[in-house]
Amino acid sequence: QIVTENLDTNWRSKRAIVEFNNAFFRSVTEIMRTQFDEPGTANTNDLPDYAGILSSIYGDIKQMVPHKLESEGEVVVRIFDRQQIKDNPGYFESVFLERIAQLLENGYAPAEIAILVRGKKEGQFLAELLIEKNAEGFFREPVGVISNESLFLNASGAVNLLIAALQYLIRPQDD
């Protein structure tokens, strides 16, 4: 038998992150309950009780923060308008890079910064942008990139160089 136990104290995350998570899960549960309990919505007898399921999973999630982590951390949620990005492609990049630079100037270490994106395409774009800006010395200190994509061998410049060299040795006539 599997027993799930929710810990009442989060010893790994800073206060702002814990408070964000507490508010987020409480809000999502309430929004879903409202959506599925409203007459005329998708909550029919043919569908599972999504509001009940969510409440049972997230309803009692609320964590405290130990005193040593009480006054630290920050959460920023930024939703970009697709049309605004389409009209001004550099807007997204500049906002992103300025925010990272500001966090570094405010004393956050690169390892304390996490960026969540909607999809693989956006994540790959931002990872490549950070790598490029690191090479240019854009930030006051290098910002490492750790992601699913960065863990693939083909994301490594050294591996790609080695593959290209081996391909050249095997077929020097190919350009």
Side-chain angles (χ1 to χ4, degrees):
Q1 180 180 4
I2 298 174
V3 177
T4 302
E5 182 180 342
N6 292 325
L7 303 177
D8 67 343
T9 303
N10 185 325
W11 294 93
R12 295 177 41 179
S13 300
K14 312 270 185 185
R15 172 174 280 294
I17 290 111
V18 173
E19 288 176 351
F20 173 82
N21 287 339
N22 287 342
F24 176 80
F25 287 112
R26 184 177 56 248
S27 297
V28 165
T29 302
E30 187 56 38
I31 289 167
M32 294 302 287
R33 183 179 301 117
T34 302
Q35 291 296 313
F36 285 108
D37 287 346
E38 198 172 291
T41 62
N43 192 16
T44 68
N45 293 333
D46 298 335
L47 294 174
D49 176 18
Y50 290 117
I53 293 168
L54 284 171
S55 290
S56 70
I57 296 170
Y58 299 118
D60 65 345
I61 290 183
K62 183 171 194 262
Q63 292 186 314
M64 296 179 293
V65 182
H67 291 293
K68 70 178 189 167
L69 299 173
E70 257 188 9
S71 64
E72 303 176 32
E74 180 176 3
V75 174
V76 175
V77 176
R78 185 77 188 242
I79 300 172
F80 292 91
D81 179 78
R82 289 183 194 267
Q83 188 61 45
Q84 188 176 27
I85 293 170
K86 186 177 178 182
D87 294 343
N88 182 5
Y91 170 76
F92 174 72
E93 290 178 33
S94 65
V95 169
F96 173 74
L97 293 172
E98 288 169 16
R99 185 67 185 144
I100 299 293
Q102 181 184 31
L103 289 169
L104 294 171
E105 290 299 320
N106 290 345
Y108 287 98
E112 296 176 301
I113 301 170
I115 300 153
L116 304 178
V117 295
R118 180 171 293 167
K120 182 177 177 180
K121 181 180 170 185
E122 292 89 353
Q124 186 171 356
F125 172 78
L126 292 179
E128 290 170 3
L129 181 63
L130 283 173
I131 291 166
E132 174 188 322
K133 293 302 177 180
N134 278 331
E136 295 173 6
F138 181 84
F139 301 111
R140 68 169 228 200
E141 61 184 293
V143 176
V145 176
I146 299 175
S147 69
N148 275 354
E149 297 300 313
S150 69
L151 298 176
F152 292 154
L153 287 176
N154 66 358
S156 167
V159 170
N160 287 328
L161 178 62
L162 182 59
I163 290 170
L166 290 172
Q167 287 173 336
Y168 177 76
L169 290 173
I170 294 168
R171 287 187 231 113
Q173 68 280 9
D174 292 349
D175 290 328

